[in-house]
Amino acid sequence: MRTPRRLAAFALASCASAALAACSTPVGGTATPVPQGQEASADPATPPVEEAGDSDPAPGPAPETGTAGDEDLPVPGAGVPGDAGLCQAVVGWFGYAGLPLVSVDEDGHVDPAAVVPLLEAMRDAPADHQDAGAPLLAAAADVSAATDEAIDELGSGADVFTAFQSLTQPVTDFGEACVAAGVSV
């Protein structure tokens, strides 16, 4: 049976994952029809056959990525100006940081090394979005201060769930500030 603490941590991680999904960049593109008489390639590495005169627009720049542990993650809010960029960055990094909470070991523990780099990115996100409005920058500063304290707690051997839970109120307040600024998170 799961303890209330583990259920609460799972709920936090689920909410963080949902927040991340809400801030992800939509994928756009065009489909290339397969000319009659030809079969579509089952190999995604094989380019589709194009008829003469077909021209697809050149793909845009690749999204920026950040390194967190051994994984490359899309940087939330990268290239998005103003309030929207700051909201996407803070909420997105919070979502990333919550994902390791669902992958506990057999003893119910999470490796802090999987969480700390993501928390550091969340703490530092406002520095890349100084073009946001003053109320959001103030709320983001509160999140950064709370995140810095959580990182210190983890460095001192605190439980990951406890450290992460200390971030819920500042991030919730930040989300409300985003909504008040007209940004959906």
Side-chain angles (χ1 to χ4, degrees):
M1 179 173 196
R2 293 186 178 209
T3 63
R5 181 173 159 217
R6 288 187 68 197
L7 287 172
F10 180 73
L12 282 171
S14 297
C15 289
S17 299
L20 176 61
C23 291
S24 62
T25 305
V27 178
T30 58
T32 303
V34 176
Q36 287 186 343
Q38 294 182 2
E39 292 185 26
S41 170
D43 180 11
T46 304
V49 177
E50 294 184 16
E51 292 184 36
D54 283 355
S55 63
D56 289 331
E64 294 182 38
T65 58
T67 302
D70 294 330
E71 301 177 36
D72 286 333
L73 300 171
V75 176
V80 180
D83 293 349
L86 180 58
C87 291
Q88 286 180 18
V90 172
V91 173
W93 285 115
F94 181 71
Y96 282 150
L99 292 175
L101 298 180
V102 296
S103 62
V104 297
D105 66 14
E106 61 276 350
D107 296 325
H109 299 288
V110 176
D111 181 14
V115 178
V116 169
L118 300 167
L119 291 176
E120 289 171 341
M122 183 172 84
R123 174 196 63 202
D124 299 339
D128 295 333
H129 298 278
Q130 291 296 307
D131 59 342
L136 281 179
L137 287 171
D142 292 344
V143 171
S144 291
T147 305
D148 208 30
E149 289 176 21
I151 292 168
D152 289 345
E153 288 177 21
L154 290 171
S156 299
D159 180 63
V160 174
F161 294 106
T162 303
F164 195 83
Q165 188 175 10
S166 70
L167 298 172
T168 57
Q169 190 60 53
V171 172
T172 299
D173 294 344
F174 178 77
E176 290 172 359
C178 288
V179 170
V183 178
S184 176
V185 289

